[in-house]
């Protein structure tokens, strides 16, 4: 017991020598060791005053993720060509009813259709990869991911159409028109928001999923 007490005292003395002044030269920043005491059971109690302060680290590189600046406004619009080209087939009833609308669609998207069909899935894979590249600005990655999700959403009406369920022509045309107009409205909203410098994050379900997919 006497030997143990001597060892404890010697250890406490050594610690006291290593901690000069206020006894905090080896303590983490913000922690001050106020006293050291030894007991006969071999335990050493160190009392510390904890004054640790926390700092809030930024969650992303960009200080403002709600605005799009410079050439990113135009670049953020380009991914929406994919849902426009894939969803164009749902507008066939409208194009038939309003031939002028079909002519405008052909003039605007016709040149892109030839390129898009010649390299199937290449654009989809490229955007899927780029949207997860942290070196790109977050608004640009968000628009890439949102355009991909809009394109994926167009698959489900197509799957329903493949089911051999007889539907009245009026119902089939109405459903196709609804899908086309919803797609055009979503893309139009996104383009206007991007060109005015705002992230188009107000599309129900899709925008939330796009934001969750890319993180910060």
């Amino acid at each position: 017991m006497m030997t143990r007490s001597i060892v404890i005292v010697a250890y406490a003395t050594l610690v006291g020598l290593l901690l000069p002044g206020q006894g905090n030269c080896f303590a983490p920043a913000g922690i001050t060791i106020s006293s050291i005491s030894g007991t006969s059971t071999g335990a050493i109690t160190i009392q510390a005053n904890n004054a640790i302060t926390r700092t809030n680290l930024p969650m992303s590189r960009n200080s403002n993720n709600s605005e799009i600046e410079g050439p990113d406004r135009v670049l953020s619009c380009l991914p929406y060509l994919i849902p426009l080209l894939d969803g164009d087939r749902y507008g066939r009833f409208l194009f038939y009813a309003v031939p002028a609308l079909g002519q405008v669609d052909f003039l605007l998207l016709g040149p892109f259709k030839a390129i898009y069909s010649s390299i199937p899935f290449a654009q989809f894979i490229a955007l899927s990869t780029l949207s997860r590249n942290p070196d790109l600005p977050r608004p640009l990655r968000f628009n890439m991911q949102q355009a991909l999700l809009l394109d994926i959403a167009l698959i489900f009406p197509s799957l329903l159409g493949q089911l051999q369920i007889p539907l009245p022509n009026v119902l089939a045309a109405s459903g196709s028109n609804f899908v086309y107009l919803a797609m055009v409205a979503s893309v139009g909203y996104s383009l206007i928001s991007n060109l005015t410098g705002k992230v188009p994050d107000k599309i129900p379900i899709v925008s939330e999923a796009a934001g969750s997919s890319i993180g910060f």
Side-chain angles (χ1 to χ4, degrees):
M1 184 66 67
M2 180 67 68
T3 303
R4 178 178 295 179
S5 299
I6 295 174
V7 172
I8 294 172
V9 173
Y11 182 77
T13 303
L14 178 61
V15 173
L17 291 175
L18 292 174
L19 302 176
Q22 295 298 323
N24 61 353
C25 66
F26 291 99
I31 298 180
T32 303
I33 299 177
S34 57
S35 64
I36 302 175
S37 60
T39 64
S40 61
T41 59
I44 295 179
T45 303
I46 300 177
Q47 297 179 354
N49 296 323
N50 189 347
I52 299 176
T53 60
R54 298 180 179 178
T55 59
N56 295 323
L57 298 177
M59 299 184 70
S60 67
R61 300 187 300 114
N62 304 320
S63 59
N64 192 345
N65 287 328
S66 62
E67 296 184 358
I68 308 176
E69 300 179 354
D72 289 342
R73 296 187 179 188
V74 177
L75 293 176
S76 296
C77 294
L78 296 180
Y80 293 97
L81 277 172
I82 293 181
L84 276 178
L85 293 171
D86 282 339
D88 193 58
R89 63 184 183 273
Y90 293 106
R92 62 187 183 276
F93 294 103
L94 286 175
F95 301 154
Y96 179 79
V98 186
L101 184 60
Q103 290 296 325
V104 172
D105 177 82
F106 177 77
L107 292 175
L108 294 178
L109 299 181
F112 298 102
K113 289 180 180 179
I115 301 174
Y116 185 73
S117 59
S118 63
I119 314 175
F121 301 109
Q123 297 87 346
F124 186 91
I125 296 173
L127 289 183
S128 180
T129 303
L130 290 173
S131 65
R132 289 172 171 78
N133 185 354
D135 293 332
L136 295 176
R138 187 181 187 278
L140 180 57
R141 292 187 289 118
F142 174 86
N143 280 285
M144 290 179 179
Q145 188 67 24
Q146 180 160 270
L148 290 176
L149 292 178
L150 286 174
D151 191 58
I152 293 174
L154 294 172
I155 297 176
F156 297 103
S158 179
L159 293 177
L160 292 176
Q162 292 179 3
L163 298 178
Q164 296 182 353
I165 301 176
L167 293 175
N169 291 334
V170 175
L171 184 59
S174 299
S176 183
N177 292 340
F178 174 80
V179 172
Y180 179 76
L181 293 175
M183 182 272 298
V184 171
S186 298
V187 171
Y189 157 73
S190 300
L191 296 181
I192 293 174
S193 297
N194 287 326
L195 293 176
T196 56
K198 300 297 182 182
V199 176
D201 55 358
K202 298 296 187 295
I203 300 178
I205 302 176
V206 177
S207 294
E208 183 179 356
S212 300
S213 298
I214 65 171
F216 295 97

